[in-house]
């Protein structure tokens, strides 16, 4: 059953010229973890507020657990939310902040105390319980905000960038905690993040947004391997997908693109492209950095593109090597043992099965 | 060199500032000193002495006589001021809260119209108000006068609170709504604890306004229900017998004392409330 269903949700702020949400359609099942990603200002927080009922929507419907809640009061929607701005109550201590929602819902005092202790331990803020929010660092405040939501057991969690202000180590720890907790409680969750790893590791579903529209909605793997358009392809993945301008041609009955690095142009055949489409038109070829590797020595008759190494960036687990192909810089992600010398000529092998092609003007996917 | 000249100019500025402040201080304080000195003199002393001389014999007869004449009115003023101040501040806070955090269609228009109330001169509302009070059966009662002060003060208190609450992040209200709090719970538990500075401003402002009011008092209250400002005027204007300046001055001091004390003890909150940013972070 769908736990959360958004039907053509539109929102225009009172004084705004532009629509903030332009017809959002999303549906997730009970227990699923939905990730919202998109550039700043694309409407993620607006959508969260709309789901929570804190902003009225202009049209459309929001259905929670089969019930249309479009006009239901926020407090009756049974939702807990972590706000992007934390929104901690300034005059209350951390303990009171976390307990507030439970108190209002008339939870017995001993249960409240137990619950506060549980989330404080989970979020490593036990030593801060008697402090006021103004006496906390940004990251500590953020964890309190998280604690306030986690203390409750609602039908739906809304997390608006809940880890954005934490240091790298704590962030990884909290990510794991959230994942564990979600596996245990199975509460349906909507989670906004700018972090690629959070998006890929936490989500059952990912919605990529831009300018108030959902560009693609699917599993993280679908979004990563099968981006619907140029925007999604460029937004997901770090380092981002390489985009190489090419022309779609035919050669002995197959569709090909020609790539030129250092030396002659090499024809790469594209098994997924219908020959009818390969009529010499311009296209953008997308390939992820890890789908390129360096060949030492010729194996069979695989077409290899030779190129000169311009920059080498060792990141630790792997090394990013930048070469030039068809006049643009192309990033390859290699194992550190493979690292070539700067200035050397390398032979690149592309994973042709996973190449994607886009139309240059509209950014739409060709194949 | 540059440093020296700068510090020289700085010290000149300092002197100028201090001199100006001293002059201003004198302008404000001399009348007060004259009043105080006169109130402690005997009637003979007042007639023979100079305005600024110290009393020959320090005496309290002026104060005792003044108190025995005005003390009833002094309490009248309290009975009018305290409820009027508290009620107008409380309703102003609620208004400001509703206008800033639960804005509805037309709430801005409503607020602008309410602001108009700040610019309406007292005299304009005298006739309609006395007509209304008469219809309500509150003419010449303390309750009626309190009502007048509450209504007239609401424009100001609403303005204070509304502008203060606009600076409090909406997300706070949103979070509380999701936590299950309603309109009044949010007001009591979240906003009011944040409002100390502006509550002080509102209390002080309203206290001074209501306590010092003369016109409403003279029009809407009569006889034994009059506030002290009216009684003071009556006392000073009595034409029978010799002028007892020491009694007049003591009575004036008694009338001014509460507002003076409010400023001395709460003045810093007034300044702080008007200048402070609302919530940090
Ligand atoms: N209260 C408001 N009134 C008018 N416009 C608003 C309001 N809140 C947001 N907007 C506009 O709506 C659009 C979407 O804003 P939103 O806060 O949802 O973005 P976001 O995706 O959460 O961005 P970020 O990643 O920076 O948090 C923006 O163009 C923003 O300017
Ligand atoms: Mg946001």
């Amino acid at each position: 059953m769908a736990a959360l269903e958004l039907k053509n949700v539109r929102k225009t702020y009172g004084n705004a010229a532009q629509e903030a949400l332009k017809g959002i359609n999303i549906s997730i099942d009970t227990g699923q973890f939905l990730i919202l990603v998109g550039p700043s200002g694309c409407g993620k927080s607006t959508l969260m507020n709309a789901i929570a009922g804190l902003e009225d929507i202009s049209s459309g419907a929001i259905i929670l657990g089969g019930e249309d809640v479009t006009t239901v009061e926020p407090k009756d929607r049974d939702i807990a939310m972590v706000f992007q701005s934390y929104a901690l109550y300034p005059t209350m201590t951390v303990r009171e902040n976390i307990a507030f929602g439970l108190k209002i819902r008339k939870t017995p005092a001993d249960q409240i105390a137990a619950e506060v202790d549980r989330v404080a331990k989970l979020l490593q803020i036990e030593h801060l319980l008697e402090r006021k929010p103004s006496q906390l660092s940004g990251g500590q405040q953020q964890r309190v905000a998280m604690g306030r939501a986690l203390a409750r057991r609602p039908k739906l969690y809304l997390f608006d960038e809940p880890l954005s202000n934490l240091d790298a180590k704590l962030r990884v720890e909290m990510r794991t905690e959230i994942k564990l907790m979600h596996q245990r409680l199975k509460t349906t969750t909507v989670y906004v993040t700018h972090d690629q790893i959070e998006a890929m590791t936490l989500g059952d579903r990912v919605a990529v947004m831009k300018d108030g529209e959902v560009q693609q909605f699917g599993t993280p793997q679908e979004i990563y391997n099968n981006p619907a358009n140029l925007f999604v392809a460029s937004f997901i993945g770090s380092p981002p997908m390489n985009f190489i301008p090419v022309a779609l041609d035919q050669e002995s009955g197959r569709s090909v693109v020609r790539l030129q690095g250092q030396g002659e142009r090499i024809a790469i055949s594209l098994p997924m492209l219908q020959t009818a489409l390969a009529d010499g038109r311009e296209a953008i070829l997308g390939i992820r950095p890890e789908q390129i590797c360096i060949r030492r020595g010729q194996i069979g008759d695989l077409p290899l593109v030779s190129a000169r190494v311009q920059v080498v960036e060792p990141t630790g687990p792997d090394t990013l090597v930048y070469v030039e192909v068809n006049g643009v810089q192309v990033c390859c992600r290699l194992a550190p043992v493979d690292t070539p010398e700067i200035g050397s000529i390398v032979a690149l092998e592309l994973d042709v099965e996973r190449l994607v092609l886009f139309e240059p003007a509209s950014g739409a996917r060709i194949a | 060199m540059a440093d020296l000249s700068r510090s020289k100019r700085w010290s000149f500025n300092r002197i100028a500032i201090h001199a100006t402040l001293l002059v201003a201080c004198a302008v404000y304080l001399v009348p007060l000193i004259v009043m105080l000195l006169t109130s402690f003199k005997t009637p003979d002393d007042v007639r023979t002495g100079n305005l600024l001389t110290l009393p020959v014999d320090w005496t309290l007869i002026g104060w005792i006589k003044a108190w025995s004449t005005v003390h009833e009115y002094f309490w009248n003023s309290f009975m009018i001021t305290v409820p009027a101040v508290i009620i107008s501040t409380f309703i102003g806070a609620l208004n400001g809260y509703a206008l800033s955090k639960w804005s509805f269609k037309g709430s801005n228009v409503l607020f602008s119209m309410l602001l108009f109330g700040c610019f309406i001169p007292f005299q304009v509302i005298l006739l309609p108000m006395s007509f209304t009070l008469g219809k309500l059966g509150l003419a010449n009662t303390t309750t009626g006068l309190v009502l007048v002060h509450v209504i007239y003060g609401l424009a100001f208190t609403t303005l204070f609170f509304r502008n203060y609450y606009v600076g409090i992040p909406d997300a706070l209200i949103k979070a509380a709504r999701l936590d299950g709090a309603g309109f009044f719970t949010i007001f009591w538990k979240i906003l009011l604890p944040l409002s100390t500075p502006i509550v002080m401003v509102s209390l002080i402002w309203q206290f001074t306004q209501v306590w010092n009011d003369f016109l409403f008092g003279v029009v809407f209250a009569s006889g034994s229900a009059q506030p002290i400002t009216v009684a003071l005027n009556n006392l000073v204007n009595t034409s029978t017998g010799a002028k007892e300046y020491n009694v007049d001055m003591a009575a004036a001091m008694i009338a001014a004392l509460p507002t003076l004390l409010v400023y001395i003890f709460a003045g810093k909150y007034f300044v702080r409330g008007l200048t402070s940013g609302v919530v940090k972070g």
Side-chain angles (χ1 to χ4, degrees):
Chain A
M1 189 188 67
L4 171 67
E5 208 179 336
L6 305 177
K7 283 188 180 164
N8 204 19
V9 170
R10 290 174 175 275
K11 165 80 188 172
T12 311
Y13 280 106
N15 47 1
Q18 273 246 326
E19 259 186 323
L21 299 175
K22 301 173 185 161
I24 304 284
N25 287 293
I26 288 177
S27 168
I28 53 171
D29 290 338
T30 306
Q32 280 190 330
F33 203 111
L34 168 67
I35 300 275
L36 290 181
V37 290
S40 191
C42 71
K44 304 182 294 292
S45 298
T46 306
L47 186 60
M48 298 288 253
N49 275 302
I51 295 172
L54 298 168
E55 294 283 358
D56 291 334
I57 57 176
S58 316
S59 70
I62 296 167
I63 294 153
L64 259 183
E67 187 194 347
D68 189 334
V69 296
T70 314
T71 55
V72 172
E73 277 290 299
K75 69 174 162 51
D76 300 324
R77 295 194 186 189
D78 200 14
I79 288 175
M81 178 163 173
V82 177
F83 289 82
Q84 191 171 8
S85 58
Y86 318 151
L88 301 179
Y89 310 128
T91 53
M92 299 185 197
T93 63
V94 169
R95 183 187 296 284
E96 289 164 337
N97 261 283
I98 297 176
F100 187 72
L102 298 171
K103 244 183 223 159
I104 294 218
R105 286 166 205 270
K106 306 242 167 2
T107 316
D110 51 338
Q111 212 171 316
I112 294 180
E115 203 56 17
V116 171
D117 288 341
R118 181 185 69 85
V119 298
K121 192 154 175 253
L122 181 76
L123 297 164
Q124 306 174 21
I125 48 174
E126 293 143 297
H127 57 297
L128 306 173
L129 281 176
E130 307 311 326
R131 292 211 205 157
K132 293 276 175 66
S134 57
Q135 300 163 323
L136 302 178
S137 75
Q140 290 169 334
Q141 290 182 16
Q142 195 161 35
R143 277 178 285 157
V144 176
M146 191 86 190
R148 199 168 56 183
L150 295 183
R152 285 178 43 209
R153 299 284 167 77
K155 264 198 284 209
L156 179 68
Y157 280 128
L158 300 175
F159 295 146
D160 200 343
E161 301 191 35
L163 307 181
S164 59
N165 228 329
L166 306 186
D167 64 66
K169 176 168 169 286
L170 202 53
R171 206 173 163 133
V172 174
E173 281 176 35
M174 290 298 144
R175 194 174 74 210
T176 316
E177 289 293 351
I178 292 175
K179 181 130 193 165
L180 274 174
M181 205 182 59
H182 182 249
Q183 282 168 359
R184 201 155 21 98
L185 297 177
K186 290 262 172 275
T187 310
T188 316
T189 306
V190 183
Y191 189 107
V192 173
T193 182
H194 281 290
D195 185 302
Q196 300 281 339
I197 304 175
E198 276 173 34
M200 298 305 289
T201 56
L202 287 174
D204 297 311
R205 293 287 181 277
V206 177
V208 183
M209 291 178 64
K210 182 191 173 196
D211 296 339
E213 285 175 317
V214 174
Q215 299 290 314
Q216 189 173 6
F217 174 64
T219 65
Q221 288 68 39
E222 277 166 16
I223 304 266
Y224 190 80
N225 296 325
N226 231 339
N229 56 39
L230 196 57
F231 173 78
V232 175
S234 64
F235 195 77
I236 298 290
S238 168
M241 187 183 260
N242 296 299
F243 297 110
I244 306 169
V246 292
L248 303 178
D249 288 326
Q250 293 185 23
E251 198 177 280
S252 45
R254 299 169 309 160
S255 319
V256 295
V257 292
R258 294 199 171 80
L259 297 179
Q260 181 177 36
Q262 199 75 24
E264 58 184 306
R265 282 150 67 93
I266 306 290
I268 308 261
S269 66
L270 301 171
M272 69 288 190
L273 185 70
Q274 295 169 332
T275 43
L277 288 171
D279 50 5
R281 72 169 85 181
E282 306 261 292
I284 290 176
L285 179 143
I287 183 161
R288 296 213 177 265
E290 67 273 17
Q291 293 161 0
I292 308 175
C293 60
I294 290 182
R295 273 282 156 240
R296 302 243 151 76
Q298 188 77 30
I299 305 167
D301 56 354
L302 258 176
L304 300 178
V305 181
S306 53
R308 188 183 297 279
V309 175
Q310 293 177 326
V311 180
V312 173
E313 291 177 348
T315 64
D318 37 38
T319 301
L320 304 179
V321 172
Y322 292 86
V323 297
E324 197 178 276
V325 175
N326 281 18
V328 297
Q329 214 173 41
V330 169
C331 174
C332 322
R333 180 185 246 156
L334 306 173
V337 288
D338 271 354
T339 308
E341 301 253 330
I342 293 175
S344 63
I345 306 275
V346 291
L348 306 174
E349 182 191 339
L350 314 182
D351 187 348
V352 286
E353 298 293 328
R354 296 170 72 184
L355 295 181
V356 286
L357 292 167
F358 302 101
E359 211 169 82
S362 66
R365 182 86 180 264
I366 301 174
Chain B
M1 270 308 280
D3 263 7
L4 194 70
S5 68
R6 195 178 303 152
S7 78
K8 241 186 197 163
R9 207 177 323 141
W10 177 230
S11 72
F12 171 76
N13 279 347
R14 277 267 130 152
I15 292 167
I17 288 168
H18 280 120
T20 315
L21 287 176
L22 276 177
V23 169
C25 248
V27 168
Y28 278 95
L29 285 180
V30 166
L32 186 67
I33 291 169
V34 170
M35 275 174 75
L36 265 176
L37 291 180
T38 311
S39 73
F40 287 110
K41 289 176 181 173
T42 59
D44 286 340
D45 200 356
V46 173
R47 255 190 308 279
T48 54
N50 176 304
L51 264 184
L52 277 168
T53 52
L54 288 179
V56 182
D57 297 316
W58 291 80
T59 169
L60 281 174
I61 44 168
W63 282 82
I64 293 165
K65 188 157 183 206
W67 180 246
S68 69
T69 352
V70 300
H71 74 273
E72 276 173 56
Y73 304 101
F74 187 84
W75 293 120
N76 281 349
S77 271
F78 256 109
M79 300 314 288
I80 295 161
T81 308
V82 172
V85 168
I86 292 175
I87 296 172
S88 61
T89 296
F90 181 75
I91 300 182
L94 264 184
N95 279 353
Y97 165 55
L99 285 172
S100 60
K101 295 302 174 201
W102 297 80
S103 53
F104 44 90
K105 244 197 168 82
S107 58
N108 277 331
V109 177
L110 192 75
F111 178 61
S112 319
M113 281 173 17
L114 209 69
L115 272 192
F116 229 67
C118 298
F119 305 112
I120 295 178
F122 278 29
Q123 293 80 348
V124 173
I125 66 168
L126 289 182
L127 277 177
M129 190 53 100
S130 66
F131 177 78
T132 312
L133 287 181
K135 284 277 178 211
L136 291 173
L138 293 172
N140 291 333
T141 61
T142 307
T143 318
L145 196 50
V146 168
L147 186 69
V148 174
H149 281 301
V150 167
I151 293 171
Y152 199 82
L154 269 184
F156 292 92
T157 54
T158 303
L159 170 71
F160 293 152
F161 280 97
R162 188 263 183 194
N163 285 356
Y164 184 80
Y165 287 152
V166 159
I168 290 180
D170 285 345
L172 233 50
I173 312 299
K174 292 181 175 174
R177 285 176 73 190
L178 275 184
D179 269 342
F183 182 88
F184 286 103
T185 315
I186 295 175
F187 180 64
W188 283 115
K189 295 276 171 77
I190 312 282
L191 277 186
L192 221 46
L194 281 172
S195 309
T196 317
I198 203 68
V199 166
M200 293 312 285
V201 168
S202 178
L203 288 180
I204 294 171
W205 171 268
Q206 277 300 92
F207 189 92
T208 342
Q209 291 293 308
V210 178
W211 185 275
N212 288 344
D213 161 71
F214 174 76
L215 190 59
F216 287 160
V218 83
V219 174
F220 298 125
S222 62
S224 60
Q226 284 174 333
I228 192 164
T229 41
V230 179
L232 180 67
N233 182 59
N234 294 344
L235 174 78
V236 175
N237 283 345
T238 43
S239 45
T240 53
K243 267 251 159 274
E244 295 179 298
Y245 284 110
N246 57 337
V247 178
D248 292 354
M249 293 303 170
M253 282 306 300
I254 291 171
L257 213 55
T259 39
L260 214 62
L261 289 179
V262 163
Y263 268 107
I264 290 171
F265 289 110
K268 62 169 188 273
Y269 293 103
F270 192 76
V271 176
R272 208 181 290 164
L274 284 180
T275 53
S276 69
V278 188
V279 199
K280 274 181 263 154

